[in-house]
């Protein structure tokens, strides 16, 4: 059947209008996410600035080496004047925001080097730890979810119990148990950081197990719903095998809630890295942040918090993009 000229013109106009709507939707989505990113960074900078000043102690002493430095009153006054600590608090706050806008994060009080340089030296280790832990958590969560759904009621109860227990396990307790078992008793793995993949095993497992408990709970319910959905029943009616149904259809839909939680999961891993890096003596921004807070190193604490907030926002946006790729219906949503 041949379409008339009028029909072809109408189809072209409709296609162009659809493209314009899609473009406007993408611009609106990006603008909303950018505004949210700027708000999160401003909130993180503001809360960190005022919270760090609630810690007892004098920042000028931290600049001069801490309370044990026995700095004179004149040296303390000079440090306050040099770093603007003698100004009203609101002026210090506005000045810090202004420096952030220009990309100036200041100099670390304790390390006596650029905050950007200090964070850059430690960021790689934490990112490797977080990404590896997230990947292991996904594998564990998927394995328990598939086992629970496919192996009957007993497996469902076992999987549910494993997820609840693992989600409730504190990082410091799990790290202690793993060190006692695999380092002190069996001697298989090192208790502290060593170069190479072997040094990552215990820290990664410590971070991955609790996260796998949370991810597994949402994956298991979503997988069960997917296996009873009409599209799965249609695939079975077409003669597709159970493995094909699981791999090609059910797992993709089961992963959607976990993908949406990936931004939160990344934030959870970074917060857990503070404990894990300290216990296993690993270099990273978690361990650096803990030391900076103890030493009232305001520029370094603020810089690390901003970097973590930025990474959290970027991972959240990436998870939304993956959501839209995995479920095309979301791409048509006006949100």
């Amino acid at each position: 059947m041949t379409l008339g000229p009028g029909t072809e013109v109408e189809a072209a106009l409709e296609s162009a209008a659809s493209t314009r709507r899609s473009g406007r939707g993408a611009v609106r989505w990006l603008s909303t996410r950018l505004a949210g990113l700027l708000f999160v960074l401003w909130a993180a900078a503001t809360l960190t600035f005022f919270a760090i000043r609630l810690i007892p102690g004098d920042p000028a002493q931290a600049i001069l080496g801490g309370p044990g430095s026995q700095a004179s009153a004149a040296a303390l006054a000079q440090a306050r004047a040099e770093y603007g600590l003698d100004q009203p608090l609101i002026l210090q706050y506005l000045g810090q925001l202004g420096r952030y806008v220009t990309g100036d994060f200041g100099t670390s009080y304790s390390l006596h080097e650029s905050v950007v340089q200090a964070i850059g030296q430690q960021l790689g280790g934490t990112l490797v730890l977080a990404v590896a832990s997230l990947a292991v958590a996904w594998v564990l969560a998927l394995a328990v979810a598939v086992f629970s759904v496919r192996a009957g009621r007993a497996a469902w109860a076992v999987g549910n119990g494993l997820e609840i227990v693992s989600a409730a396990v504190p990082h410091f307790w799990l790290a202690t148990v793993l060190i006692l078992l695999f380092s002190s008793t069996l001697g298989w793995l090192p208790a502290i950081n060593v170069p190479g993949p072997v040094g990552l095993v215990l820290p990664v497992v410590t971070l991955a197990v609790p996260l796998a408990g949370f991810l597994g709970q949402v994956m298991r319910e979503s997988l069960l719903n997917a296996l009873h959905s009409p599209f799965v029943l249609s695939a079975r009616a077409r003669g597709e095998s159970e493995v094909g149904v699981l791999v090609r259809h059910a797992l993709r839909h089961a992963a959607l809630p976990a993908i949406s939680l990936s931004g939160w999961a990344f934030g959870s891993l970074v917060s857990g890295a503070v404990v894990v890096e300290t216990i296993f003596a690993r270099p990273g921004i978690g361990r650096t942040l803990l030391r900076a807070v103890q030493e009232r190193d305001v520029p370094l604490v603020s810089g690390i918090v901003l970097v973590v907030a930025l990474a959290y926002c970027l991972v959240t946006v990436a998870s939304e993009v993956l959501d839209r790729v995995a479920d095309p219906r979301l791409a048509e949503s006006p949100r």
Side-chain angles (χ1 to χ4, degrees):
M1 177 177 170
T2 304
L3 297 176
T7 305
E8 294 178 354
V9 171
E10 291 176 0
L13 292 175
E14 178 61 28
S15 176
S18 176
T19 302
R20 285 195 299 270
R21 286 195 298 269
S22 177
R24 286 195 298 268
V27 170
R28 184 167 57 251
W29 184 81
L30 287 174
S31 301
T32 302
R33 298 310 180 271
L34 179 60
L37 170 64
L38 295 176
F39 174 78
V40 169
L41 293 178
W42 168 79
T46 301
L47 291 175
T48 304
F49 177 86
F50 290 104
I52 196 69
R53 280 159 176 77
L54 295 177
I55 301 176
D58 187 354
Q61 284 188 335
I63 296 172
L64 296 176
S69 63
Q70 298 181 347
S72 65
L76 290 173
Q78 182 179 355
R80 293 189 190 100
E82 181 179 351
Y83 286 87
L85 298 175
D86 56 345
Q87 298 179 353
L89 194 60
I90 186 63
L91 293 182
Q92 296 181 41
Y93 166 69
L94 294 176
Q96 181 166 296
L97 289 184
R99 290 190 294 272
Y100 286 160
V101 171
T102 62
D104 180 10
F105 287 81
T107 302
S108 167
Y109 295 164
S110 58
L111 301 177
H112 304 290
E113 64 180 0
S114 167
V115 168
V116 173
Q117 181 180 352
I119 294 176
Q121 292 172 352
Q122 304 295 330
L123 185 60
T126 299
L127 288 179
V128 169
L129 180 62
V131 171
S133 300
L134 185 59
V136 172
W138 262 82
V139 172
L140 292 175
L142 276 175
V144 173
V146 173
F147 169 74
S148 301
V149 172
R150 302 295 301 170
R153 291 187 177 181
W156 179 276
V158 171
N160 186 46
L162 288 174
E163 290 163 356
I164 293 174
V165 171
S166 62
V169 170
H171 290 117
F172 70 89
W173 183 87
L174 181 58
T176 303
V177 171
L178 292 175
I179 290 173
L180 288 175
L181 178 60
F182 292 101
S183 298
S184 301
T185 304
L186 299 176
W188 292 352
L189 296 168
I192 60 175
N193 179 62
V194 296
V198 68
L200 270 173
V201 175
L202 292 185
V204 165
V205 172
T206 302
L207 282 177
V209 168
L211 179 58
F214 285 106
L215 296 179
Q217 290 176 5
V218 296
M219 283 186 184
R220 185 160 49 91
E221 294 291 340
S222 183
L223 180 59
L224 182 63
N225 293 333
L227 288 174
H228 291 85
S229 297
F231 65 87
V232 169
L233 298 177
S234 299
R236 286 174 176 152
R238 293 194 301 268
E240 192 159 358
S241 66
E242 286 298 317
V243 174
V245 167
L246 183 66
V247 173
R248 294 190 184 94
H249 303 284
L251 284 182
R252 185 179 68 175
H253 290 268
L256 289 176
I259 292 175
S260 301
L261 287 174
S262 293
W264 164 85
F266 182 82
S268 173
L269 290 173
V270 172
S271 63
V274 176
V275 176
V276 171
E277 289 175 354
T278 302
I279 293 176
F280 291 100
R282 280 188 57 82
I285 60 173
R287 189 180 177 194
T288 303
L289 176 61
L290 178 61
R291 185 172 61 247
V293 171
Q294 293 172 339
E295 298 177 355
R296 289 182 60 87
D297 193 336
V298 178
L300 186 55
V301 171
S302 302
I304 291 176
V305 170
L306 285 179
V307 168
V308 172
L310 176 62
Y312 171 81
C313 292
L314 294 178
V315 172
T316 300
V317 172
S319 66
E320 291 189 18
V321 172
L322 289 176
D323 265 344
R324 290 171 173 243
V325 171
D327 189 353
R329 294 172 299 179
L330 295 176
E332 303 172 0
S333 173
R335 70 186 177 96

